[in-house]
C-alpha cells in the first residue's frame, strides 16, 4: 500500500528496521555516563546490554521488561506491523520468558493516510495475539518518519532466566534463523532483490521466536540473546564480554539467506554493518574475507535466537529445534576460555 502522495513506507524513511538503530559505539558512549543501578531485585539491568530487564518480584517469578521500535523495513503496512511486533516480542523470548502484555509505540505523519497506520496496528495486534499476549494501550505522536514497535512485559521462572552473561566455557552455539536480512532488505529497497529473496526475508522477520523459546525451555540452556541491529558479530561480542569468554564463530556453518553473499559482493552493504564492525574492532580476530565479515556484522531485523548450551545437551536441543523450525537452525560455533580476543571469526 502506498500513500496518497505516491510514496511507499520505505521511501518515507532514511533507514529501515533495526538498521535505523544508533550504532553500538554511539550507544555505548551514551550509556557509560549513566550510573549503575544497584538493587538486589534487579537481576539484569543496563550492565550487559541484554535484551530485557529482569526484576525479581518474589522467589517464584521474575518480571521481564523491554521496549523496541523502528522505521519501516517493508512497504506493506500490515507486514511492517507484524515484523515490528515480532521483533519487540523477541526480547522476552531471548530471556526465556513469556510475553503477557504489550503497549504500542507509534510515530506517524498526520499528513499521510490514516488507513496505513490502521493496517500497521492490525499487523502488530495479530502478532501479539499469536504470541498469546494482550495489547493494552499505547502512545502516538506526529512524526515525519513512521515508526512502530512495542513495550512488552513478560515473566519467567527463576530457573529458566537466560541472560547473555550466562554462556559457559565448552558450550556450543545454536542459531535459529538465517542471517543476511539487512543486505536483502537493502536490495529490496533498491529494486534488485528477487521475489523469492524478498519473501524469504519477510517470512524470517515476521516469524516469532516463540516456538524456539518454548523448546529451549525444556533444556538446561545456559545463555541466550537474539540477533538484531548489531548483527551476529555484535551480539555475539556482547555475549562474550558479558560472560567473560571467547566465542568462535564458524562461517561455513552459518545459515545465510540466498543471494545475500552475492549482493554484498556487489556492494549492497548497510551502513550499520560498518558501525557494528568498528565497534568490535580490537576485540575480535578474523580469518575471513571482508565479504564474509560483511555478512557477520550485517544488521538484522527480528532475527533468531543465539543459544549457548553444553555440547551434550545441545545435540538433543539442536535436533528438536531442527525438527520444528527447519533447515536454517545451525550449530555455528563454540565457547572457549577467555583468550586474547572476545570473538574469533573462523572459516
Amino acid at each position: 500500500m502506498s500513500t496518497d502522495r505516491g510514496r511507499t513506507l520505505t521511501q518515507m524513511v532514511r533507514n529501515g528496521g533495526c538498521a535505523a538503530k544508533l550504532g553500538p559505539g554511539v550507544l555505548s558512549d551514551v550509556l557509560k555516563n549513566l550510573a549503575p543501578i544497584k538493587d538486589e531485585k534487579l537481576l539484569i539491568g543496563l550492565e550487559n546490554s541484554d535484551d530485557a530487564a529482569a526484576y525479581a518480584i518474589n522467589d517464584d517469578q521474575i518480571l521481564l521488561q523491554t521496549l523496541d521500535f523502528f522505521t519501516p523495513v517493508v512497504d506493506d503496512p500490515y507486514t511492517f506491523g507484524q515484523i515490528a511486533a515480532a521483533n519487540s516480542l523477541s526480547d522476552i523470548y531471548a530471556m526465556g520468558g513469556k510475553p503477557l502484555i504489550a503497549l504500542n509505540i507509534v510515530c506517524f505523519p498526520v499528513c499521510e493516510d490514516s488507513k496505513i497506520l490502521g493496517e500497521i496496528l492490525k499487523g502488530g495486534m495479530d502478532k501479539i495475539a499469536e504470541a498469546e499476549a494482550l495489547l493494552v494501550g499505547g502512545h502516538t505522536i506526529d512524526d515525519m518518519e513512521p515508526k512502530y514497535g512495542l513495550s512488552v512485559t513478560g515473566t519467567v521462572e527463576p530457573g529458566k532466566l537466560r541472560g547473555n552473561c550466562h554462556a559457559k566455557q565448552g558450550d556450543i552455539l545454536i542459531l535459529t534463523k538465517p542471517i543476511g536480512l539487512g543486505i536483502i532488505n537493502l536490495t529490496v529497497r533498491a529494486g534488485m532483490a528477487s521475489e523469492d529473496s524478498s519473501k524469504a526475508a519477510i517470512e524470517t522477520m515476521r516469524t516469532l521466536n516463540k516456538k524456539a523459546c518454548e523448546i529451549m525451555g525444556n533444556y538446561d540452556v545456559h545463555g541466550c540473546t537474539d540477533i538484531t541491529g548489531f548483527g551476529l558479530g555484535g551480539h555475539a561480542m556482547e555475549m562474550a564480554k558479558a560472560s567473560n569468554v571467547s566465542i568462535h564463530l564458524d562461517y561455513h556453518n552459518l545459515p545465510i539467506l540466498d543471494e545475500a553473499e552475492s549482493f554484498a559482493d556487489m556492494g549492497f552493504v548497510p551502513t550499520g554493518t560498518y558501525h557494528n564492525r568498528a565497534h568490535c574492532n580490537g576485540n575480535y580476530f578474523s580469518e575471513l574475507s571482508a565479504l564474509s565479515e560483511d555478512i557477520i556484522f550485517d544488521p538484522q531485523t527480528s532475527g533468531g535466537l543465539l543459544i549457548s548450551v553444553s555440547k551434550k545437551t545441545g545435540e538433543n536441543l539442536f535436533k528438536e529445534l531442527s525438527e520444528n523450525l527447519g533447515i536454517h537452525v545451525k550449530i555455528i560455533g563454540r565457547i572457549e576460555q577467555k583468550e586474547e580476543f572476545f570473538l574469533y571469526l573462523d572459516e
Side-chain angles (χ1 to χ4, degrees):
M1 180 187 295
S2 62
T3 70
D4 290 340
R5 298 183 178 186
R7 292 193 301 165
T8 63
L9 280 176
T10 56
Q11 289 173 339
M12 297 166 66
V13 298
R14 292 171 296 165
N15 296 296
C18 287
K21 283 185 175 181
L22 285 177
V26 175
L27 190 59
S28 178
D29 287 342
V30 172
L31 292 179
K32 71 182 181 182
N33 296 318
L34 300 181
I37 299 172
K38 301 295 183 181
D39 189 301
E40 62 180 13
K41 291 192 173 186
L42 184 63
L43 306 179
I44 296 178
L46 291 171
E47 62 279 357
N48 293 323
S49 302
D50 219 324
D51 298 294
Y55 183 87
I57 301 175
N58 50 48
D59 292 340
D60 301 316
Q61 200 169 37
I62 295 171
L63 181 76
L64 301 176
Q65 185 66 53
T66 186
L67 182 154
D68 209 324
F69 69 110
F70 50 56
T71 51
V73 68
V74 294
D75 286 321
D76 181 70
Y78 179 80
T79 303
F80 168 49
Q82 287 188 307
I83 292 170
N87 181 78
S88 300
L89 291 159
S90 181
D91 288 341
I92 300 297
Y93 295 132
M95 306 293 284
K98 174 180 173 54
L100 298 179
I101 59 174
L103 296 167
N104 281 330
I105 302 162
V106 181
C107 301
F108 195 78
V110 294
C111 59
E112 301 292 353
D113 187 352
S114 62
K115 292 180 181 178
I116 296 172
L117 178 56
E119 284 295 301
I120 293 172
L121 298 183
K122 186 178 186 301
M125 188 170 187
D126 286 350
K127 194 56 66 171
I128 294 167
E130 183 183 336
E132 299 179 278
L134 302 175
L135 178 64
V136 295
H139 186 71
T140 60
I141 65 169
D142 176 16
D143 191 0
M144 292 304 295
E145 286 193 337
K147 305 173 185 71
Y148 175 62
L150 304 173
S151 173
V152 187
T153 302
T155 58
V156 63
E157 298 174 16
K160 294 188 175 182
L161 176 65
R162 312 297 180 212
N164 68 359
C165 59
H166 297 148
K168 295 183 179 182
Q169 179 184 351
D171 283 357
I172 60 172
L173 291 169
I174 300 174
L175 183 62
T176 64
K177 285 186 182 182
I179 59 175
L181 289 163
I183 294 165
I184 297 300
N185 288 333
L186 185 61
T187 58
V188 169
R189 294 182 68 177
M192 296 287 290
S194 68
E195 184 177 353
D196 286 345
S197 292
S198 177
K199 285 182 177 179
I202 288 172
E203 190 60 28
T204 298
M205 291 186 290
R206 67 182 177 189
T207 297
L208 290 174
N209 283 320
K210 180 175 184 286
K211 188 64 176 179
C213 177
E214 290 172 348
I215 294 172
M216 177 177 72
N218 296 325
Y219 293 84
D220 184 21
V221 166
H222 295 150
C224 186
T225 189
D226 67 339
I227 307 304
T228 54
F230 299 159
L232 174 60
H235 289 289
M237 175 77 76
E238 288 181 341
M239 177 180 277
K241 283 188 171 183
S243 302
N244 197 32
V245 296
S246 288
I247 286 181
H248 290 245
L249 297 180
D250 301 321
Y251 187 82
H252 67 279
N253 286 336
L254 297 183
I256 302 171
L257 288 168
D258 290 344
E259 299 187 5
E261 289 176 302
S262 59
F263 278 126
D265 193 38
M266 293 168 60
F268 287 94
V269 178
T271 302
T273 301
Y274 304 111
H275 295 322
N276 293 339
R277 182 190 282 115
H279 180 61
C280 295
N281 190 36
N283 286 306
Y284 79 96
F285 175 82
S286 175
E287 298 180 348
L288 305 180
S289 66
L291 170 62
S292 297
E293 287 190 25
D294 286 344
I295 301 294
I296 286 179
F297 290 107
D298 178 47
Q300 305 303 286
T301 298
S302 190
L305 300 184
L306 181 66
I307 303 170
S308 174
V309 60
S310 71
K311 184 176 181 180
K312 182 178 180 180
T313 301
E315 290 174 354
N316 292 326
L317 173 58
F318 170 71
K319 181 180 179 181
E320 186 172 353
L321 286 169
S322 298
E323 290 172 350
N324 284 271
L325 304 180
I327 61 172
H328 290 301
V329 177
K330 299 289 185 181
I331 297 173
I332 65 164
R334 64 194 185 279
I335 294 180
E336 297 186 355
Q337 184 177 353
K338 176 67 175 71
E339 303 173 20
E340 182 179 356
F341 299 95
F342 282 107
L343 186 63
Y344 289 78
L345 308 181
D346 304 326
E347 290 286 357

